[in-house]
Amino acid sequence: MTPELRSERLSLSPYVATDEADFVALFQDEAVGRWFGDGMQSEAEDRALFGRIFTLVYAEERFPVWAVRHEGRYVGHAEVKPSPETWLDGTEIVYGLARDAWGQGLGTELAKLLTAYGHETLGLAEVHATVDAGNASSLSVLARLGYVQVREIPEGDGRVTLHLVSRRPAPPVTPLRR
């Protein structure tokens, strides 16, 4: 169910067991991991999460989850999945890049690839993203790709989650000839 995807500089492929150390290191980096889900977890929880990618997500073909590579090296994580949020009935993109991959335009390239997969491959009219209001980098990436904010969701811990959406462009209208 998780196809391989490619962009100009990135390759996305299903995780393999040998990716565990890179996955855990990504999620354990506070600058990255704080933006995933409910934030930082223990190393043991991240290892268990990695295991569930194989035992639940891949085994049950729930949704695509990718290891992201640049020049053959692991640089991040990506998903296109049904939103777990009760207030969002739709499919969202999830992505994160290792710090050493920041500042090269790879985040924009990755989000563009995931958005295109949602619109073009899955046929979705809308692709969603939920982003902590403090995550300026992701908000900037999504704005560049044409995502628009549709609402703010206050969280119990005082933070705010922003709900953004990319709407598939309408096909061009061809004028009738007489």
Side-chain angles (χ1 to χ4, degrees):
M1 169 167 184
T2 299
E4 292 200 9
L5 301 180
R6 296 204 183 284
S7 64
E8 183 179 329
R9 299 178 295 164
L10 298 174
S11 64
L12 281 62
S13 58
Y15 277 100
V16 294
T18 55
D19 290 325
E20 182 175 8
D22 288 329
F23 175 92
V24 171
L26 178 73
F27 279 70
Q28 284 295 296
D29 182 342
E30 202 271 330
V32 179
R34 68 182 172 156
W35 304 121
F36 282 114
D38 293 326
M40 295 296 295
Q41 301 186 101
S42 70
E43 181 178 333
E45 289 170 312
D46 287 338
R47 287 189 187 287
L49 176 61
F50 184 78
R52 286 192 301 276
I53 290 172
F54 297 94
T55 61
L56 292 175
V57 178
Y58 290 162
E60 297 178 7
E61 297 186 353
R62 290 187 176 188
F63 50 86
V65 177
W66 294 277
V68 180
R69 299 183 199 289
H70 175 246
E71 297 177 345
R73 185 176 53 85
Y74 179 90
V75 295
H77 173 84
E79 308 174 13
V80 175
K81 67 180 188 175
S83 178
E85 304 293 348
T86 56
W87 47 263
L88 199 169
D89 182 22
T91 299
E92 67 178 299
I93 63 171
V94 176
Y95 60 93
L97 291 174
R99 264 193 244 207
D100 61 354
W102 294 358
Q104 303 171 47
L106 297 176
T108 301
E109 191 170 325
L110 177 56
K112 182 178 181 180
L113 184 61
L114 298 173
T115 302
Y117 178 81
H119 286 310
E120 297 165 15
T121 302
L122 300 179
L124 300 172
E126 293 183 337
V127 174
H128 302 268
T130 56
V131 181
D132 186 291
N135 190 343
S137 295
S138 276
L139 292 171
S140 176
V141 162
L142 295 170
R144 274 194 293 280
L145 298 178
Y147 277 76
V148 294
Q149 181 181 323
V150 292
R151 69 176 142 180
E152 293 182 6
I153 300 86
E155 301 292 349
D157 61 2
R159 295 180 310 131
V160 173
T161 295
L162 302 180
H163 173 203
L164 299 100
V165 66
S166 167
R167 293 186 173 91
R168 182 174 46 210
V173 177
T174 305
L176 296 175
R177 294 186 177 237
R178 296 184 188 237

Coordinates of all heavy atoms in Angstrom, one line a residue, residues 7 20 42 78 82 89 110 112 124-125 128-130 142 159 171:
S7 N 10.7 12.8 -6.0 CA 10.7 14.2 -6.4 C 12.1 14.5 -7.0 O 12.9 13.5 -7.2 CB 10.4 15.2 -5.3 OG 11.4 15.1 -4.3
E20 N 15.2 1.9 12.0 CA 14.8 2.2 13.4 C 15.6 3.2 14.1 O 15.1 4.2 14.7 CB 14.7 0.9 14.3 CG 14.2 1.2 15.7 CD 14.0 -0.1 16.5 OE1 14.4 -1.2 16.1 OE2 13.4 0.1 17.6
S42 N 9.1 9.3 25.2 CA 10.3 8.6 25.6 C 10.9 7.8 24.4 O 10.2 7.5 23.4 CB 10.1 7.6 26.7 OG 9.3 6.5 26.3
A78 N 7.4 10.8 6.7 CA 6.2 11.3 6.0 C 5.1 10.4 6.0 O 5.3 9.1 6.0 CB 6.6 11.7 4.6
P82 N -5.7 9.3 7.2 CA -6.9 9.9 7.7 C -6.6 10.6 9.0 O -5.9 10.1 9.9 CB -7.8 8.7 8.0 CG -7.2 7.6 7.2 CD -5.8 7.9 7.1
D89 N -12.7 15.6 9.5 CA -13.0 14.5 8.7 C -12.4 14.6 7.3 O -12.9 15.2 6.4 CB -14.6 14.4 8.5 CG -15.0 13.2 7.7 OD1 -14.2 12.2 7.7 OD2 -16.1 13.2 7.2
L110 N 9.1 18.2 -0.1 CA 8.4 17.0 0.5 C 6.9 17.3 0.7 O 6.1 16.5 0.3 CB 9.1 16.7 1.9 CG 8.4 15.6 2.7 CD1 8.4 14.3 1.9 CD2 9.2 15.4 4.0
K112 N 5.1 19.4 -1.0 CA 4.6 19.4 -2.3 C 4.3 18.0 -2.9 O 3.2 17.8 -3.5 CB 5.5 20.2 -3.2 CG 5.0 20.4 -4.7 CD 6.0 21.2 -5.5 CE 5.4 21.4 -6.9 NZ 6.4 22.2 -7.7
L124 N -8.1 13.3 -3.9 CA -8.8 14.1 -2.9 C -9.0 15.6 -3.3 O -8.1 16.2 -3.8 CB -7.9 14.1 -1.6 CG -7.6 12.8 -1.0 CD1 -6.6 12.9 0.1 CD2 -8.9 12.1 -0.4
A125 N -10.2 16.1 -3.1 CA -10.4 17.5 -3.4 C -9.7 18.4 -2.4 O -9.3 19.5 -2.7 CB -11.9 17.7 -3.4
H128 N -5.4 18.1 4.0 CA -5.4 18.8 5.2 C -4.0 18.8 5.9 O -3.2 17.8 5.6 CB -6.4 18.3 6.2 CG -7.8 18.4 5.7 ND1 -8.6 19.5 5.9 CD2 -8.5 17.5 4.9 CE1 -9.8 19.2 5.2 NE2 -9.7 18.0 4.7
A129 N -3.7 19.7 6.7 CA -2.5 19.7 7.6 C -3.0 20.4 8.9 O -3.7 21.3 8.9 CB -1.4 20.5 6.9
T130 N -2.5 19.8 10.0 CA -2.7 20.4 11.3 C -1.3 20.7 11.9 O -0.4 19.8 11.9 CB -3.5 19.4 12.2 OG1 -2.8 18.2 12.3 CG2 -4.9 19.2 11.7
L142 N 3.8 25.5 4.0 CA 2.4 25.2 3.6 C 1.8 26.4 2.9 O 1.1 26.3 1.9 CB 1.6 24.7 4.7 CG 2.0 23.4 5.3 CD1 1.2 23.1 6.6 CD2 1.8 22.3 4.3
R159 N -1.7 25.6 24.0 CA -1.2 25.8 22.7 C -2.4 25.9 21.7 O -3.5 25.6 22.1 CB -0.3 24.6 22.3 CG 1.0 24.5 23.1 CD 1.8 23.3 22.7 NE 1.1 22.0 22.6 CZ 1.1 21.2 21.6 NH1 1.8 21.4 20.6 NH2 0.4 20.1 21.7
P171 N -10.4 22.3 -12.8 CA -9.9 22.1 -14.1 C -10.2 23.4 -14.9 O -11.2 24.1 -14.7 CB -10.6 20.9 -14.7 CG -11.7 20.7 -13.8 CD -11.5 21.3 -12.5

